[in-house]
Amino acid sequence: DIVLTQAPLSVSVTPGESASISCRSSKSLLSSKGITSLYWYLQRPGKSPQLLIYQMSNLASGVPDRFSSSGSETDFTLKISKVETEDVGFYYCGHRLEYPYTFGAGTKLELK
Amino acid sequence: QVQLQQSGAELVKPGSSVKISCKASGYTFTSYDMHWIKQQPGNGLEWIGWIYPGNGNTKYNQKFNGKTTLTADKSSSTAYMQLSSLTSEDSAVYFCARGTAYWGQGTLVTVSS
């Protein structure tokens, strides 16, 4: 199975500042079709996960452009600029390259 | 708009089975895979498998083979997941999801005697 390792496990951010979360894959997530199968989700407290980013760098519908993502075939970074109260929760990376689909363990973002 | 409405919380006994549902609306039910994801308390996300309601094809995470059965009823646009031989390790919130972008609200399953 592909292992996704997230860092840090938690991050504390002052509102208005930026935050970055890393996700490292045990295998290249570049598909034969040239798509990087890496997704980012936010799970707010008591809610379902919400898709933020698909195929490594594409912003999902309705997601503010304060969120961005970049990376290579195995190393990825989610950046949140000007963190707001609504950004609090757990962030997960996930892939859909091959079966079984797997997720990172999650990064908790809280406000200072 | 796409909506996935899951059934309510379940309290079930060890060794029994439970079937939870996910009613879809706002799109053509038979045209998209429905995925199921497990989240144990305080833990991350585990992908269980998917079903394609159009033809009933399924794909399971091997870890859940024998534990879960995915079905779909086209007439009611509802996907189902049955969990069998329940143990405390099956206590979790279970989500259905259409692709990556649309998720149900989750169903809490608690296994306790």
Side-chain angles (χ1 to χ4, degrees), chain A residues 41 43 48 92 96 99 101 103, chain B residues 35 39 50 59 99-100 104:
Chain A
Y41 304 85
Q43 187 173 30
S48 306
Y92 296 96
R96 290 196 166 201
Y99 299 117
Y101 301 157
F103 297 87
Chain B
H35 297 253
Q39 185 170 40
W50 57 253
K59 181 68 178 180
T100 55

Side-chain angles (χ1 to χ4, degrees), chain A residues 1 39 41 43 46-51 54 60 90 92 96 98-106, chain B residues 6 35 37 39 43-47 50 59-62 95 97-101 103-106:
Chain A
D1 298 0
Y39 300 78
Y41 304 85
Q43 187 173 30
K47 300 295 186 181
S48 306
Q50 171 196 358
L51 178 68
Y54 63 96
F90 279 88
Y92 296 96
R96 290 196 166 201
E98 61 186 34
Y99 299 117
Y101 301 157
T102 57
F103 297 87
Chain B
Q6 296 187 230
H35 297 253
I37 297 96
Q39 185 170 40
N43 282 9
L45 304 165
E46 280 189 286
W47 177 78
W50 57 253
K59 181 68 178 180
Y60 294 95
N61 182 337
Q62 281 192 324
F95 296 98
R98 196 201 90 173
T100 55
W103 293 63
Q105 82 276 23

Side-chain angles (χ1 to χ4, degrees), chain A residues 6 21 40-52 67 78 80 85-93 103-110, chain B residues 6 37-46 92-95 103-107:
Chain A
Q6 289 186 231
I21 298 169
W40 287 101
Y41 304 85
L42 163 61
Q43 187 173 30
R44 296 185 175 97
K47 300 295 186 181
S48 306
Q50 171 196 358
L51 178 68
L52 296 174
F67 293 88
L78 175 71
I80 312 161
T85 304
E86 65 179 19
D87 301 335
V88 166
F90 279 88
Y91 289 79
Y92 296 96
C93 58
F103 297 87
T107 295
K108 182 178 183 179
L109 185 146
E110 55 188 7
Chain B
Q6 296 187 230
I37 297 96
K38 177 181 182 182
Q39 185 170 40
Q40 289 179 296
N43 282 9
L45 304 165
E46 280 189 286
V93 174
Y94 293 88
F95 296 98
W103 293 63
Q105 82 276 23
T107 296

